[in-house]
Amino acid sequence: MYRTNTCGELNINHVGQEVTLCGWLQRSRDLGGMTFIDLRDRYGITQLAFNMETNTDLCNQARKLGREYVLQAKGIVAERSSKNNKIPTGDIEIIVNELNILNVSKTPPFTIEDVSDGGDDLRMKYRYLDLRRTPVRKNLELRHKVAMLTRNFLSSQNFLEIETPFLIKSTPEGARDFVVPSRMNPGEFYALPQSPQQYKQLLMVSGFDRYFQIVRCFRDEDLRADRQPEFTQIDCEMSFVEQEDVLNTFEAMIKHLFAEVKGLHFDTFPRMTWHNAMKYYGSDKPDIRFGMKFVEINDVVKGKGFGLFDNADLVVGICANGCAEYSRKQLDALTDFVKRPQVGAGGLVYIKYNADGSFKSSVDKFYTPEDLKTIAEKFAAKPGDLMLVLCGETMKTRKQLNELRLEMGNQLGLRNPDQFAPLWVIDFPLLEWDEETQRFYAMHHPFTAPKPEDEPLLDDSQQWGRIRANAYDMVINGVEVGGGSIRIHDRTLQNKMFHTLGFTDEQALSQFGFLMNAFEYGAPPHAGLAFGFDRLCALFGGADSIRDFIAFPKNNAGRDVMSGSPSAISDEQLNELCIDIKKVE
Amino acid sequence: MYRTNTCGELNINHVGQEVTLCGWLQRSRDLGGMTFIDLRDRYGITQLAFNMETNTDLCNQARKLGREYVLQAKGIVAERSSKNNKIPTGDIEIIVNELNILNVSKTPPFTIEDVSDGGDDLRMKYRYLDLRRTPVRKNLELRHKVAMLTRNFLSSQNFLEIETPFLIKSTPEGARDFVVPSRMNPGEFYALPQSPQQYKQLLMVSGFDRYFQIVRCFRDEDLRADRQPEFTQIDCEMSFVEQEDVLNTFEAMIKHLFAEVKGLHFDTFPRMTWHNAMKYYGSDKPDIRFGMKFVEINDVVKGKGFGLFDNADLVVGICANGCAEYSRKQLDALTDFVKRPQVGAGGLVYIKYNADGSFKSSVDKFYTPEDLKTIAEKFAAKPGDLMLVLCGETMKTRKQLNELRLEMGNQLGLRNPDQFAPLWVIDFPLLEWDEETQRFYAMHHPFTAPKPEDEPLLDDSQQWGRIRANAYDMVINGVEVGGGSIRIHDRTLQNKMFHTLGFTDEQALSQFGFLMNAFEYGAPPHAGLAFGFDRLCALFGGADSIRDFIAFPKNNAGRDVMSGSPSAISDEQLNELCIDIKKVE
């Protein structure tokens, strides 16, 4: 062993002991008679002291060392004259009597400090140096902890972690697969799993009863901000359960994680139907850390001669408490916000309920103070509040108002990352209409069961959009951290579902045949759920971006700029795989 | 919840309780007045009882159910009249008063019993049914347990599990990569990792100090028996450690697993140099459950006129205790065994040391009884023993004799799968000469450090074959379960190593540039090791084949016959990826 102790563990109780430490030179201070070096390892920082008078050679040697040199220092633990109470080792220092340079270092391209002077691109290129920074290291330590807690919790609940294959069959349904050419089977390809969905259902058919896996998944999508081509899921499935059992099991898991990681304890998580989530928050993942619920005011605004409202499917708004003093400039900024192409609203109507009880609105021309008072009552607004109203086609308007609500939440400081508001969203629609391809798609996936009471609607294509699924999402702070559903375990219903999705028998058989065959041999009722593990860790870490909770992330072009991947491969490799690169014209 | 209890937990203490169970119909017995059904789930089997007299309808219904139907049964726990002490629930049965068929089943293509009538191919095609069989389920339960124990042990030792990428850069050195075309970067490819080797070394550069990961790895090799294109490793790396620290850490881990999984406790594992392993066992993974060490007899057999021995580099044999009575037929069979192409010996010499003290050998023509007595003394043979001798080129002969030794071990019942003999093999050669390409290859990998005392030999290409590495394997029962090495952390030495392996600067830079760059910024001394997790589980399970410890394995052509993967993909997918299938001429 190169060391007797780590840089994080020595304190006043160790004074007088001879120790050997290893680590990186964080910084050095040359105070004439004395030179001090902060030696850093994963566990902490310990001060090394070199005395010019008593050990001139060693002190001179210490003065020549650069940042990030790897050192081994032997010496005696001594009490410091000036203590540092910010670090656990701040009461002591090491009077060094032997120093070995284990490795030298070039000057790093950015500072290895909590707040670095390196930009994103530079830090990604030198990710191995970025990972030396305490905040990034702590993120990965948190991730390890969450993974261990998750596994031990689920294992204690009789879940078995079972590894499913990474080289699987490509299925065109859903997102795009990454594929892997098979050298031994020329012209044929494996796919990397978008999730172990079919395998975990097979494991239920096999009687495994409770399965989980913390598993890498892959999606070849055009990457939006904060999406990664490979990501990690906590993937789970259970047999002989109803929706209530699944929600209780995984609510208990998340509560356990909150208690162990954050010291936070929760009552039963609230539940909201998808329908209400859309109606009151304009989102299937509402952030309920704050109120500002949508208020629909069709009944009180129509027929007063304001054409925009009169012609709208929906007139809906939010009430921002205490914002009646918003300036013209602030209101213009909000109008600009909703008119941005990303939001897409035509405009914004405001109604100020002034502190003196009077009203001021952008629609004063059409509405009397009494009208506005009636509207204010719908909003339960008080003097000093500001009402913000959008109108138009129902779903579009709701989504626009959702953006505005979140923006107001940000502006008013109502979205504290240290506060957590978990929520189940339930009763999702089974099917989603796609304008482009003019067909219904499974909102969750083709194995999701309709609610039994809605099953008859499958026989009437006019009703397909109204069918509710036994599907559920866990939402925390406006982020979908997990989701799942009761599965179809009956082959007849599964066939009907495939037909609804426009699959011919041949297509269904060629893509999902093995699962459908399996269902003929005694599939139990089963259900499951998957959590986005990267996202969950970022949430626990109080961060918006998942990137710093992944050791070696890729950029938005799917590139790892550190290793230079992807890259060209040799003609020999291509030949062996029987593939050619197509010339791009 | 569909059930109140599982099929494995009810016993005499539950008599009188009303319970609901779910599971699969294992078998049913119709005894006229009574019908019994064995209901099976993951946790056990419980007997359901139906009385024709007291509940005719239900009993008639029960009689119509087929094997593997999925049932829900409600009833009262009752004491059995004829108990079955082979199962934990054998004292009780359920007097059923309500029965629901949750799903029907076609008749399975093979019996779902501990010993099935299904052949390998059929069981693989219907793997989801094969997994219902208790022995296969128990293998995966064992795997889960070993994984949990491993993670908790390493975590308690301050190891962090850190996930490394699956979409990485292709490196031609070593085995063949599986590659993944990048749609967003046309003409470029990711590779799937053969191991996270470079990433775990980067994590050491990053200061993570102790890393592990139970991780899938991929190798596109022509599959020999019991190899899988994807396999799982326990991958580990540590900083500021010497070989002694690594061996102690992972010896402790394996001891912990043996204690928890098998209830077995071990003293310090023996260590053997690679040189001695080859000399005394003809293998770098000797099975030391039994002796039969090689005895070299060049000095006593040469110069007696037996040309085969006289001209051989090495004359070496083993002594099989108590086998002097082997018949002509048995000896011929052994001769045939060593002459098989897989072994490749020219022939076999035997010397029987008969119980009466006389000798009988296949070389009596050349050796007097006194000569044979001298040989026997070299072998420390006793009357009743049989000596088996091979000769020829040193390494080839050793490998042939290794095969013969293992065969004799099998024949004599010395390789008991319930007995475990762990061993460290150390001091592997750094480099291995390849006749075909006429160059040296890294025996372990290009980052393995030579022993410091052998480092100067790198400057003399005549000596390269003699350089020993700080590399080590853990061997249990003749199976290499893990291996690793001290890594080179010095860039100058790493460069020298690359040159030794015939890499130009450009090749080294293009393949390993990011790791070499990282080494310029303060790489700590580090070392690591990886265990073959599938193999380790098979060993603990007392099985030779890893296949039944993998939920969904592939066959020797790399195919999953259940899902039909790999398979053709659509032209649209190929177009998006900018690749063509090459016509095979």
Side-chain angles (χ1 to χ4, degrees), chain A residues 290-457:
Chain A
F290 64 107
M292 233 185 264
K293 275 171 78 169
F294 292 6
V295 178
E296 300 185 353
I297 54 173
N298 285 26
D299 55 345
V300 292
V301 298
K302 295 231 174 192
K304 304 281 182 173
F306 182 37
L308 214 56
F309 280 2
D310 286 345
N311 297 323
D313 294 334
L314 179 68
V315 185
V316 61
I318 52 175
C319 176
N321 294 328
C323 294
E325 302 288 318
Y326 262 40
S327 66
R328 180 80 242 165
K329 198 173 153 196
Q330 283 174 298
L331 290 168
D332 285 349
L334 288 180
T335 306
D336 289 346
F337 175 84
V338 298
K339 288 169 93 171
R340 293 187 316 160
Q342 299 96 312
V343 181
L348 175 68
V349 167
Y350 71 84
I351 305 167
K352 286 181 174 180
Y353 194 168
N354 294 317
D356 62 5
S358 68
F359 288 94
K360 171 81 189 94
S361 87
S362 50
V363 289
D364 284 346
K365 219 189 308 185
F366 302 101
Y367 298 96
T368 65
E370 288 68 37
D371 291 335
L372 295 175
K373 176 92 183 166
T374 310
I375 294 173
E377 276 162 14
K378 289 282 283 185
F379 277 101
K382 300 174 308 297
D385 289 351
L386 170 69
M387 289 155 272
L388 299 168
V389 180
L390 298 178
C391 68
E393 188 274 318
T394 301
M395 274 304 186
K396 276 189 186 153
T397 307
R398 285 174 172 169
K399 285 177 183 167
Q400 292 156 3
L401 190 59
N402 166 52
E403 298 292 337
L404 180 62
R405 174 178 175 273
L406 295 177
E407 171 62 19
M408 289 306 296
N410 286 336
Q411 288 194 13
L412 299 174
L414 302 173
R415 306 183 73 194
N416 175 3
D418 294 328
Q419 188 196 336
F420 295 91
L423 166 77
W424 286 107
V425 177
I426 57 174
D427 296 354
F428 273 76
L430 183 70
L431 301 163
E432 204 172 20
W433 177 255
D434 182 62
E435 281 296 336
E436 197 185 321
T437 51
Q438 290 285 306
R439 55 165 270 211
F440 277 101
Y441 282 85
M443 192 152 185
H444 201 69
H445 55 58
F447 314 109
T448 296
K451 281 194 167 295
E453 60 268 35
D454 290 1
E455 232 177 86
L457 304 181

Side-chain angles (χ1 to χ4, degrees), chain B residues 537-576:
Chain B
C537 292
L539 191 85
F540 282 128
D544 285 332
S545 166
I546 62 172
R547 230 166 59 162
D548 271 343
F549 292 79
I550 296 171
F552 298 101
K554 293 186 176 58
N555 71 11
N556 283 349
R559 298 199 76 87
D560 174 355
V561 292
M562 180 191 69
S563 70
S565 129
S567 61
I569 60 174
S570 69
D571 288 342
E572 193 189 338
Q573 278 174 292
L574 291 172
N575 284 336
E576 282 197 326

Side-chain angles (χ1 to χ4, degrees), chain B residues 327-379:
Chain B
S327 65
R328 180 80 242 167
K329 197 174 155 195
Q330 282 175 298
L331 290 168
D332 285 348
L334 289 179
T335 306
D336 290 345
F337 175 84
V338 298
K339 287 169 96 170
R340 292 188 317 159
Q342 300 95 311
V343 180
L348 174 69
V349 168
Y350 71 84
I351 305 168
K352 285 181 175 179
Y353 195 166
N354 294 317
D356 63 6
S358 67
F359 289 93
K360 171 81 188 96
S361 87
S362 50
V363 288
D364 284 347
K365 217 187 314 184
F366 303 101
Y367 298 96
T368 64
E370 289 68 37
D371 292 335
L372 296 175
K373 175 94 184 167
T374 310
I375 294 172
E377 276 161 14
K378 290 282 284 184
F379 278 99

Side-chain angles (χ1 to χ4, degrees), chain B residues 31-207:
Chain B
L31 306 180
M34 294 291 290
T35 291
F36 296 102
I37 286 179
D38 282 352
L39 192 69
R40 183 198 71 232
D41 68 10
R42 175 183 136 199
Y43 309 93
I45 283 182
T46 299
Q47 178 166 296
L48 308 179
F50 301 85
N51 191 317
M52 184 56 96
E53 243 174 74
T54 60
N55 201 334
T56 314
D57 285 354
L58 204 64
C59 195
N60 277 327
Q61 194 193 342
R63 286 183 181 189
K64 291 191 199 115
L65 305 174
R67 275 203 291 137
E68 301 304 319
Y69 271 45
V70 188
L71 306 177
Q72 181 187 44
K74 198 172 191 171
I76 308 291
V77 183
E79 187 171 358
R80 278 205 217 179
S81 49
S82 75
K83 299 197 167 60
N84 175 353
N85 60 16
K86 287 189 193 131
I87 57 172
T89 64
D91 288 350
I92 58 98
E93 63 192 5
I94 312 299
I95 311 296
V96 178
N97 53 42
E98 191 184 321
L99 182 68
N100 296 311
I101 300 175
L102 298 176
N103 217 337
V104 298
S105 174
K106 293 209 284 196
T107 304
F110 50 84
T111 54
I112 313 292
E113 303 281 353
D114 287 8
V115 177
S116 173
D117 58 358
D120 260 13
D121 291 349
L122 198 63
R123 289 193 294 110
M124 282 302 141
K125 177 151 195 259
Y126 295 90
R127 181 64 167 173
Y128 44 87
L129 297 180
D130 196 33
L131 288 170
R132 285 187 188 165
R133 295 170 52 236
T134 304
V136 187
R137 175 173 50 72
K138 282 199 180 303
N139 289 345
L140 296 187
E141 287 174 350
L142 172 74
R143 186 179 177 114
H144 167 72
K145 185 176 180 184
V146 177
M148 290 299 295
L149 288 168
T150 300
R151 285 196 166 95
N152 282 310
F153 177 86
L154 290 173
S155 189
S156 78
Q157 304 291 310
N158 269 325
F159 283 81
L160 293 173
E161 184 160 28
I162 299 175
E163 296 174 53
T164 53
F166 278 76
L167 298 172
I168 68 166
K169 191 179 162 85
S170 184
T171 55
E173 183 73 5
R176 226 182 261 106
D177 282 331
F178 280 106
V179 298
V180 181
S182 167
R183 182 181 53 86
M184 292 212 277
N185 305 278
E188 297 190 332
F189 292 78
Y190 303 100
L192 299 177
Q194 296 181 30
S195 90
Q197 183 63 34
Q198 293 169 56
Y199 285 97
K200 69 176 175 175
Q201 293 195 243
L202 286 177
L203 288 171
M204 295 304 106
V205 174
S206 297

Side-chain angles (χ1 to χ4, degrees), chain A residues 1-3 22 24 42-43 70 102-107 128-129 131-132 140-141 143-144 148 151-152 155 158-170 176 178-181 183-185 188-190 199 202 205-210 216 218 220-223 230 232 240-242 245 489 514 518 520-525 551-552 554 557-560 562-563 565-567 569 573-582, chain B residues 1-3 22 24 42-43 70 102-107 128-129 131-132 140-141 143-144 148 151-152 155 158-170 176 178-181 183-185 188-190 199 202 205-210 216 218 220-223 230 232 240-242 245 489 514 518 520-525 551-552 554 557-560 562-563 565-567 569 573 575-582:
Chain A
M1 198 71 91
Y2 281 75
R3 61 189 170 192
C22 291
W24 285 261
R42 175 183 136 197
Y43 309 93
V70 188
L102 298 177
N103 218 337
V104 298
S105 174
K106 293 210 282 196
T107 303
Y128 44 87
L129 297 179
L131 288 171
R132 285 187 189 165
L140 296 188
E141 286 173 351
R143 186 178 176 113
H144 166 72
M148 289 300 295
R151 285 196 167 96
N152 282 310
S155 189
N158 268 327
F159 284 81
L160 293 173
E161 185 160 29
I162 299 176
E163 298 174 52
T164 53
F166 278 76
L167 297 173
I168 69 165
K169 190 179 162 86
S170 184
R176 225 182 261 107
F178 281 105
V179 298
V180 181
R183 180 182 55 86
M184 290 213 277
N185 305 279
E188 297 191 329
F189 293 77
Y190 303 100
Y199 285 98
L202 286 177
V205 175
S206 298
F208 277 93
D209 204 86
R210 296 183 161 211
R216 200 71 51 83
F218 305 85
D220 185 12
E221 288 175 339
D222 296 317
L223 299 175
E230 46 178 317
T232 302
F240 303 118
V241 288
E242 286 150 351
D245 307 310
H489 66 278
F514 63 104
E520 307 229 42
Y521 291 96
F552 298 100
K554 293 187 175 59
R559 298 199 75 87
D560 174 355
M562 180 190 70
S563 70
S565 130
S567 61
I569 59 172
Q573 278 174 293
L574 291 172
N575 283 337
E576 281 196 326
L577 296 170
C578 287
I579 57 177
D580 275 328
I581 309 283
K582 204 172 278 185
Chain B
M1 199 70 91
Y2 281 75
R3 62 189 170 192
C22 290
W24 286 262
R42 175 183 136 199
Y43 309 93
V70 188
L102 298 176
N103 217 337
V104 298
S105 174
K106 293 209 284 196
T107 304
Y128 44 87
L129 297 180
L131 288 170
R132 285 187 188 165
L140 296 187
E141 287 174 350
R143 186 179 177 114
H144 167 72
M148 290 299 295
R151 285 196 166 95
N152 282 310
S155 189
N158 269 325
F159 283 81
L160 293 173
E161 184 160 28
I162 299 175
E163 296 174 53
T164 53
F166 278 76
L167 298 172
I168 68 166
K169 191 179 162 85
S170 184
R176 226 182 261 106
F178 280 106
V179 298
V180 181
R183 182 181 53 86
M184 292 212 277
N185 305 278
E188 297 190 332
F189 292 78
Y190 303 100
Y199 285 97
L202 286 177
V205 174
S206 297
F208 276 92
D209 205 85
R210 294 182 163 213
R216 200 71 51 87
F218 304 86
D220 186 11
E221 287 175 339
D222 296 317
L223 299 174
E230 47 178 316
T232 302
F240 303 120
V241 289
E242 288 152 348
D245 308 309
H489 66 278
F514 64 104
E520 306 229 42
Y521 291 96
F552 298 101
K554 293 186 176 58
R559 298 199 76 87
D560 174 355
M562 180 191 69
S563 70
S565 129
S567 61
I569 60 174
Q573 278 174 292
N575 284 336
E576 282 197 326
L577 296 170
C578 288
I579 57 177
D580 275 329
I581 310 283
K582 203 173 279 185

